[in-house]
Amino acid sequence: MRIHFCILILFCMANHLSAENGHRLWLRADTNANAQVTTNQQSPIVAVAVKELQKQWQGTPVQLKIAKTKETQALGNDGFTIAGNPQTGVTVTALTDRGLLYGAYHLLRLQATAAIAGNINITEIPSYQVRILNHWDNLDRSIERGYAGRSLWEWEKLPDEISPRYEEYARANASIGINGAVLNNVNANPKILTGEYLVKVKALADVFRPYGLKVICRSISQRPRHWADCLTPTRSIRRCGNGGKEK
């Protein structure tokens, strides 16, 4: 009987572990909180902020407010204020929708770390306007100096197939204030700027945009002629990927 009980416990634990793949990172609060969230403006970025709070915020109603005042101008595009009380209501104020998104994630972080004890009066202004993740990924999905598998970007499937991991990636970045991603290696392959690949880059940008995440592609090369050849229609397309030499 005891052996059967132990097997049952192990089976339940295995099911629980298999359900958690780690993709949510620190955003693992209850996803059915049904919090009351209002906003004075609408945009795709604001919609993400509202959705995150509705699913995870376990306190009193939250108001998201975009305002153009002397105080919010000082916050810049990505700053925000959080004021109120978890018993009476909380207001997140910002100059832009990106500021509201970062403020929403900050509020959830306070909840996750049990850092809300009474009245809230927070002002956050990023020290840097550009906060990026710098990928060294190649178009064949290998990674220069990479030791953790292949690139996240499935170029061969884009733009027709959009992996759910792309939105998880954007969400993870936005939740800690990152606002840009360099997609390709510093030793850039010029094909990234051809029409074939720009369509793929756009597909990623469309997923990232509601999370305030900008796409950046490197275009540095020590061989300008190689770039010119690769970006010239018809005949030069044959030269891309062949060191700038005719096949």
Side-chain angles (χ1 to χ4, degrees), residues 52-72:
E52 295 284 22
L53 289 170
Q54 286 178 335
K55 288 185 175 181
Q56 300 183 77
W57 176 246
Q58 298 169 3
T60 52
V62 177
Q63 180 184 12
L64 300 179
K65 182 179 179 182
I66 293 179
K68 293 185 178 181
T69 65
K70 181 178 180 180
E71 290 75 16
T72 58

Side-chain angles (χ1 to χ4, degrees), residues 36-42 45-54 61-67 80-82 90-94 96-97 99-105 107:
Q36 181 179 341
V37 183
T38 59
T39 179
N40 67 337
Q41 292 194 31
Q42 300 292 333
I45 293 179
V46 171
V48 170
V50 171
K51 179 180 67 174
E52 295 284 22
L53 289 170
Q54 286 178 335
V62 177
Q63 180 184 12
L64 300 179
K65 182 179 179 182
I66 293 179
F80 58 85
T81 64
I82 304 177
V90 177
T91 300
V92 181
T93 306
T96 69
D97 52 2
L100 286 187
L101 180 63
Y102 299 138
Y105 282 125
L107 186 59

Side-chain angles (χ1 to χ4, degrees), residues 195-231:
E196 175 188 1
Y197 274 86
L198 287 178
V199 173
K200 301 172 186 287
V201 170
K202 179 184 180 299
L204 292 175
D206 289 342
V207 176
F208 296 169
R209 194 172 298 112
Y211 290 87
L213 189 66
K214 294 182 178 180
V215 162
I216 303 168
C217 294
R218 289 187 181 89
S219 59
I220 300 174
S221 176
Q222 296 179 349
R223 294 177 292 177
R225 179 182 175 185
H226 186 192
W227 281 91
D229 286 343
C230 289
L231 296 178

Side-chain angles (χ1 to χ4, degrees), residues 89-139:
V90 177
T91 300
V92 181
T93 306
L95 178 65
T96 69
D97 52 2
R98 293 204 310 272
L100 286 187
L101 180 63
Y102 299 138
Y105 282 125
H106 191 90
L107 186 59
L108 291 174
R109 189 178 303 111
L110 294 177
Q111 174 180 264
T113 56
I116 303 176
N119 292 332
I120 306 173
N121 187 11
I122 295 172
T123 298
E124 289 283 341
I125 303 175
S127 299
Y128 300 95
Q129 294 184 3
V130 180
R131 306 173 299 278
I132 66 173
L133 278 188
N134 189 5
H135 291 263
W136 279 31
D137 296 15
N138 298 308
L139 298 186

Side-chain angles (χ1 to χ4, degrees), residues 2-16:
R2 182 178 298 178
I3 294 176
H4 291 166
F5 179 74
C6 292
I7 292 175
L8 178 62
I9 294 296
L10 290 174
F11 178 77
C12 292
M13 291 177 62
N15 281 344
H16 175 74

Side-chain angles (χ1 to χ4, degrees), residues 26 30 60:
W26 67 273
D30 183 6
T60 52

